[in-house]
Amino acid sequence: MVQPGGGFDLSQIMQQAQQMQQKLVEAQEELAGTEVTGTSGGGLVTATVSGDSQLKSLSIDPKVVDPDDVETLSDLVVAAVRDASANAQKLTEQKLGPLAGGLGGGMPDLGGFPGLGG
């Protein structure tokens, strides 16, 4: 990226930025199409969310439905959705983590300018 004489090859930097942007878009599309689940109550409530954290479905085992104890059911639903969301976040970190790491790395030593890498 640094040309002889100390200049930067701006076209190469731009090309790398475009490639990273394309990879990021592809990873985001893949995440949106991926589903993960979360459970609570030993599997009595299951929530399914997309990789971009959109709630897709909620399954409740009839054994947990008690008209006299709606609060427990509500708690189980919230716990299952939180678990699914946490799993979606982990998936996002796995998919986008390497790309995000590439955004800050790979910059050359900028020749001793204060605060600019060197």
Side-chain angles (χ1 to χ4, degrees), residues 56-103:
K56 295 294 187 176
S57 69
L58 184 66
S59 172
I60 301 172
D61 189 308
K63 291 185 267 187
V64 77
V65 179
D66 179 355
D68 296 325
D69 189 11
V70 176
E71 187 175 336
T72 296
L73 178 56
S74 296
D75 291 344
L76 289 171
V77 168
V78 168
V81 171
R82 283 184 180 159
D83 186 42
S85 293
N87 290 337
Q89 180 63 35
K90 289 176 193 172
L91 179 64
T92 299
E93 290 169 5
Q94 289 171 352
K95 291 284 184 189
L96 299 183
L99 293 174
L103 295 175

